[in-house]
Amino acid sequence: MITVENLTKSFQGVNALNGVTLDVEAGTVLGVVGPSGAGKSTLARCVALLERPDSGAIRVDGTDITALDGSALRAARRQIGVVPQGDSLLRQRTAAGNIALPLESAGIPGPQRRSRVGELLDLVGLTDKAASYPDQLSGGQRQRIAVARALAANPSVLLADEPTSALDPETTGSVLTVLDRARAELGVTVLVVTHDMGVVRKICDDVAVLEQGRVVEHGKVLDLVGDAGSRTSSALLPAVDLNPINESSYDRVADVVLVGFAAVGALLPEASHRFGVELNIVGGGLTRLGETPVARFRLGLNGERSDSALEWIGEAGGAVQRSLKGPQGVAA
Amino acid sequence: MRSATPWSDVLSYLVEATGETLYMVGVSTVIATAFGVPLGVWLQLTAKGGLRPNAAVHRVLGFITDLGRSMPFIVLLVALTSVTRLIVGGSIGSTAVIVPLAVGAIPFVGRLVQNILSEVHVTVVEAAVTTGASTLRIVRSVLIRESLPALINAIGVTVIALIGYSAMAGVIGGGGLGDLAIREGYQRFNDRILWSTVAWLAVLTTLIQLGFTRAARASDRRRHATV
Ligand SMILES: Nc1ncnc2c1ncn2[C@@H]1O[C@H](COP(=O)(O)OP(=O)(O)OP(=O)(O)O)[C@@H](O)[C@H]1O
Ligand SMILES: [Mg+2]
């Protein structure tokens, strides 16, 4: 579990972080997104103990790690696995040798080291590349080795700064799968910095949006998508208004967000049936956030009890974002 | 006009002088490496963006290093006579030359090493830092190991430079190939000795260079790349 409290950091008058507060629950994945220069890397470097914040605290499992020195600092670093931005492998060492580095730092003896390296190669699916040098690996494979290295000393936290920024979509998938396995199989808490909302879509439980050194949005991805005004929802959900519709042909027009198999599959037909209204999907579509199907539809409703139908959808767990037509206050 | 020195004598001259040169250069290279590499590491660690940045220490070290490098070797050779006497118990002969050779080469090696270490990419170094490795481990396993091929080449460059400097060893009776070419060859108008020494020096330096290039290649894992 990571807690960041009121973190500030400035570089020669540039305030890179302006009081950043956020937390990542144990065993979850937080995506930190935001425009270039927002302070994402600065935040990541502070958590990685490569940069000392000017003020504020960073707690890992309750202990403030910002003020440590010497061997306590090195021990804390071992608790935090880091996948740095860009190429970071030793080119004069094999894949296995690179993964072994944190184990050497931790003073783990040879035989144990070798078996642990074997486990990690297996975790990232590169057992056959153990003896390859970084120059012989593809970008995605190098990045997976970097993840394996970060996980080698059994850290409780995994930190990755733009782990997929230089990769094509397919390779990106393989790296994200590895991060996801780390959380699922090792229970590590993951903080991933990215400018790619696709990363948030695929593996993040929570998201924090950083702008000019401040957190402007922070919460569970599946909660934030239901909030019409959130940056997360506009970035992740299908657009609803690509095709202008003739609103006059409906009594009510509303946007709804439905999260989960049950809601996406059954809520709308059920509403139509219960309230005897005609219910058409006139825009939007279906997407997937992690394993969860999520839909944002623009609905056109006809029938006397259209408002009640919308209200019921809201109560049944759908987020009725906007009643484009008809009385306000229907939205849940 | 006297008759040319017999080839057998030229050969024995060369053998003896080669032995002296290799002795002077070999020992001073070992000393220069032993002190120059740590100096280069220290310069790099204290540099801006280094692992232990320290502007004051870096500036003082850099100043002394560059002062040493700017000193003409011949000046060092005579200026260090008393220091030499203190260390080796005499101020002439091959052993006495080793002191100024080594002292002159330490700052040379130091700067070469610092430049080479600074080429190790900062993300690679930081990645090692995040593993909780100690500074000593990072110096050994990352900075030095990652740049080993370049470091070996740099030592080769140093050896060649020291062979050049050792030519001045005659000034304090150090002997060696350079001294042979100047004293027996040039000053006594003995062309056979002069040109055989020059030719042998060319062969010797080429062989040494070749050896270091090979060693550097052998230490470079990246050559296995399949690209
Ligand atoms: N070492 C530094 N020295 C001076 N300024 C810095 C330094 N590191 C970061 N900054 C400044 O702090 C601000 C935040 O930078 P940061 O790298 O954290 O942004 P970012 O969100 O990671 O951007 P990007 O998406 O482009 O990587 C920027 O204005 C940047 O110029
Ligand atoms: Mg960045």
Side-chain angles (χ1 to χ4, degrees), chain A residues 60-75:
Chain A
V60 172
D61 300 328
T63 320
D64 187 0
I65 56 172
T66 50
L68 301 174
D69 267 313
S71 63
L73 175 62
R74 289 200 299 277

Side-chain angles (χ1 to χ4, degrees), chain B residues 152-194:
Chain B
I152 291 174
N153 271 323
I155 302 305
V157 168
T158 307
V159 171
I160 305 293
L162 284 177
I163 290 178
Y165 288 141
S166 74
M168 297 173 219
V171 173
I172 58 169
L177 287 164
D179 187 40
L180 177 65
I182 294 167
R183 221 159 26 80
E184 296 293 331
Y186 179 72
Q187 285 170 0
R188 296 177 140 180
F189 307 103
N190 188 333
D191 282 356
R192 184 172 278 190
I193 288 191
L194 177 61

Side-chain angles (χ1 to χ4, degrees), chain A:
Chain A
M1 149 123 210
I2 316 168
T3 319
V4 173
E5 289 165 16
N6 216 4
L7 212 62
T8 64
K9 175 78 190 176
S10 61
F11 299 100
Q12 298 110 39
V14 179
N15 291 332
L17 299 176
N18 274 315
V20 168
T21 297
L22 46 81
D23 57 84
V24 200
E25 239 173 84
T28 66
V29 181
L30 170 75
V32 175
V33 298
S36 189
K40 306 183 295 293
S41 292
T42 307
L43 174 64
R45 290 176 60 81
C46 286
V47 177
L49 298 172
L50 288 171
E51 208 87 68
R52 245 181 234 276
D54 299 336
S55 68
I58 299 168
R59 288 181 215 287
V60 172
D61 300 328
T63 320
D64 187 0
I65 56 172
T66 50
L68 301 174
D69 267 313
S71 63
L73 175 62
R74 289 200 299 277
R77 279 177 172 148
R78 255 171 245 135
Q79 275 306 297
I80 301 165
V82 180
V83 183
Q85 183 163 11
D87 255 335
S88 66
L89 297 181
L90 298 174
R91 298 177 75 198
Q92 300 285 356
R93 279 194 183 204
T94 60
N98 269 285
I99 298 173
L101 185 68
L103 302 170
E104 293 166 15
S105 305
I108 290 167
Q112 272 167 268
R113 214 155 63 204
R114 275 185 288 282
S115 75
R116 179 77 186 136
V117 168
E119 290 166 29
L120 286 152
L121 281 165
D122 186 46
L123 180 84
V124 300
L126 289 173
T127 304
D128 56 330
K129 299 290 181 191
S132 300
Y133 287 85
D135 285 1
Q136 297 168 297
L137 300 173
S138 71
Q141 290 168 338
R142 282 201 293 272
Q143 204 61 323
R144 276 144 73 193
I145 295 296
V147 175
R149 175 182 59 188
L151 292 169
N154 268 319
S156 60
V157 169
L158 181 66
L159 189 73
D161 191 359
E162 302 280 9
T164 61
S165 63
L167 307 176
D168 60 58
E170 197 180 321
T171 321
T172 294
S174 71
V175 172
L176 294 182
T177 304
V178 164
L179 291 177
D180 201 42
R181 281 187 80 176
R183 176 261 304 271
E185 293 176 22
L186 308 174
V188 293
T189 307
V190 183
L191 194 158
V192 54
V193 167
T194 183
H195 66 271
D196 176 8
M197 286 306 279
V199 173
V200 175
R201 174 194 304 285
K202 289 189 195 100
I203 61 164
C204 294
D205 302 296
D206 292 15
V207 65
V209 182
L210 226 56
E211 257 172 37
Q212 297 182 345
R214 269 179 242 281
V215 177
V216 293
E217 195 168 299
H218 176 30
K220 298 215 163 307
V221 175
L222 293 180
D223 291 347
L224 286 169
V225 292
D227 175 356
S230 76
R231 290 157 219 259
T232 305
S233 71
S234 51
L236 289 181
L237 294 182
V240 282
D241 40 15
L242 289 179
N243 303 311
I245 56 157
N246 182 4
E247 299 199 355
S248 61
S249 57
Y250 295 104
D251 294 335
R252 293 284 179 273
V253 175
D255 292 348
V256 300
V257 173
L258 305 170
V259 176
F261 282 102
V264 170
L267 218 53
L268 298 186
E270 169 96 36
S272 169
H273 179 73
R274 271 192 190 219
F275 297 92
V277 295
E278 179 201 337
L279 195 155
N280 291 314
I281 294 172
V282 296
L286 191 67
T287 186
R288 198 173 262 276
L289 299 177
E291 297 292 297
T292 312
V294 176
R296 174 156 69 177
F297 293 130
R298 177 154 292 175
L299 303 178
L301 298 93
N302 275 322
E304 269 174 34
R305 300 171 70 198
S306 290
D307 286 332
S308 311
L310 286 174
E311 200 171 339
W312 180 82
I313 291 171
E315 280 161 10
V320 180
Q321 293 189 335
R322 201 147 49 107
S323 195
L324 298 178
K325 211 176 158 189
Q328 295 299 308
V330 172

